[in-house]
Every structure is written in structure tokens, then in C-alpha cells.
Amino acid sequence: MMKFKTFYLLSLLISCFTFQAFAQDKYNYQFVENVPYYDAGQDDYQRTQCLLDIYYPVDGKEKAEGRPVVVWFHGGGLTGGQKEIPSYLKDKGLVVVGVGYRFSPKVKVEGIIHDAAKAVSFIYNQVNKYNGDKNKFFLSGHSAGGYLVTMLALNPSYLEPHGMNANDLTGVISFSGQAITHFTARKELGIDEKQPTIDALAPLYWVRKDAPPLVLLTGDREKEMLGRYEENAYLKRMMDIVGHPDTKLMEFQGYGHGMTYPGFPVMLEEMQRILTEKNN
């Protein structure tokens, strides 16, 4: 487990590497909004929520093709929020996809995970259209979004109906996601959010040796919500025990639950590490 005491130290350590690896000035960029990822004929709520925004590089000083892809899921407790393209990820030579999905209580948590799986498989099959590369395909998200991406990575049954193998994911980077059963899933069963539970709606339930690389980022254990660091530490430990070769846990001391920055620079560094190790 790694700890970062200050953002300034973190920036000095990785900023040069990050900006060299994901150069800003090589490409031009385009942005498309509200791309539906379900077929026509769905209900009104699904049609308005299940949309993607895509920010992607096009030819500039260099030809834009085969770029890494980040599919980003927003937070909000699975009960709110909106799709987003994180500003820090723009102009880095990445295809960045912001995913919208339905919310509880209108939809059960199981249905929300299925939305996430459908969105991921949709963009995976469309990735060449946006100058992305299937072999450089990352999932990431904050809080509820971190929970969704770890569920997709660890339980292959969500992506399989869409013709996609979870092991085809290049890597998964979770920002302060839940590792036990999500508190909104527990609420559906009348279980208090302070009552920890591990069942089939917990990433911890699905630990496995052959999962894609997994990076777990959290805030300071004394500032995070509801033991979020400890959940991720347990997930890290169990992934190690089952023999998974690449699970990393990083704690940002001094930062609370909203630790996406300084998390984003570390995310880019970890993406580059995973890609480098994959190609060696």
C-alpha cells in the first residue's frame, strides 16, 4: 500500500512523466454528446439516462489512431449525479467516455450494473470510430462509479451477455469505490449503511486470480466515508491471497472522499505502467 502525504510531493514525482506519456499538443479533439448505448424502443427513463459523452483525439500534428480509452463512471451513490468528462483527462491523447446510467430507487442496483456493462460493451465495439484501441481499454470511476467498474471487472457474468470478456479489459482504476455490498444495494434489503455486508453485489465476493490489473485509490482512512479505505484494503488483501498478480492500493493522506485530484495524475501514471508491462 502506498501513501501520498501531499499533492505537491506527488506532482513533483510524476508530473513530468505523465505529460510526456500523454502529450497534450499532438492532436486536435472532438466532442460528441448524448450517444445512446441501448437500442431504440426502450422506456423514456432509459432513453434519457443511458447516454454517453465522448471526447476523442483527431489528427493534428500527429495522426490520431490507436489511442488509449478511459470509460469513466461518475459518482453519486447510485442515486444521482450526471455523466461527465473529467477536465483533467482532456487533451492528453486519450479517448474519454462519460457514462450516464439509471438510478435507484427507479432501478435496482443489479439493473444499474447491467447499464454499466451495456455501456462498456457498446463503446468497446465502437472504439475504432473514435480513434481508440481495444487493447488499451481502461475502466475508471469515482465512488459509485468505482464500485461499478470493479463489479464489471471481477464478475465476468455482466459483460458476457454482451459478447465481451472482462479479461479483455486492459485495466481498472477505482477512485474510492465500495468493495463490500454497495450501501444502496443494502438499503434495498432494509440493511443500514453502517452494517457491512458481503454478498453477490460486493466486488469482494468475486475476487479472482485472472482478473485484469486493478488499481484501488482512496482518500485518507481517517477522512474517508464509512471505512472506505479499509474496504479497499481488504479487497487488495484478498486479491493477493487468490494470486492476482497486479492489484495496487494507494491512500492519499490528507484527502477525503473527494480525492479525484490528486488521483488523476496517479491514474495516468498507472495506465502507462500497465500498458508498458503489457507490451513487455
Side-chain angles (χ1 to χ4, degrees), residues 6-155:
T6 69
F7 165 71
Y8 301 105
L9 176 60
L10 178 64
S11 296
L12 288 172
L13 289 172
I14 69 172
S15 60
C16 291
F17 176 85
T18 297
F19 286 105
Q20 289 173 2
F22 297 100
Q24 302 182 72
D25 59 356
K26 293 181 179 180
Y27 313 106
N28 297 316
Y29 292 84
Q30 292 186 4
F31 179 53
V32 293
E33 294 183 272
N34 297 324
V35 178
Y37 56 83
Y38 278 108
D39 297 331
Q42 305 301 318
D43 62 66
D44 288 343
Y45 184 55
Q46 193 170 61
R47 281 194 295 270
T48 57
Q49 288 295 115
C50 296
L51 303 170
L52 306 174
D53 291 346
I54 307 169
Y55 184 90
Y56 64 102
V58 296
D59 292 353
K61 293 181 181 179
E62 294 189 7
K63 187 174 179 61
E65 60 182 5
R67 302 307 305 158
V69 181
V70 176
V71 184
W72 176 260
F73 289 84
H74 68 82
L78 302 178
T79 61
Q82 59 185 4
K83 65 185 188 306
E84 59 181 348
I85 304 291
S87 59
Y88 191 87
L89 301 182
K90 292 181 178 179
D91 303 340
K92 300 292 194 302
L94 302 170
V95 180
V96 187
V97 182
V99 181
Y101 50 87
R102 294 173 294 171
F103 301 134
S104 175
K106 290 185 177 181
V107 178
K108 297 289 188 182
V109 168
E110 186 81 25
I112 299 171
I113 303 171
H114 283 293
D115 284 351
K118 177 64 176 176
V120 168
S121 63
F122 175 88
I123 198 64
Y124 187 79
N125 291 322
Q126 298 277 330
V127 73
N128 291 340
K129 179 179 178 181
Y130 301 102
N131 293 323
D133 187 339
K134 287 183 177 181
N135 295 312
K136 305 172 184 176
F137 195 88
F138 293 85
L139 303 187
S140 189
H142 175 243
S143 194
Y147 165 79
L148 290 172
V149 299
T150 50
M151 283 296 294
L152 295 185
L154 296 178
N155 183 353

Side-chain angles (χ1 to χ4, degrees), residues 252-266:
F252 294 96
Q253 289 190 327
Y255 290 87
H257 185 62
M259 38 57 73
T260 52
Y261 197 76
F264 283 128
V266 174

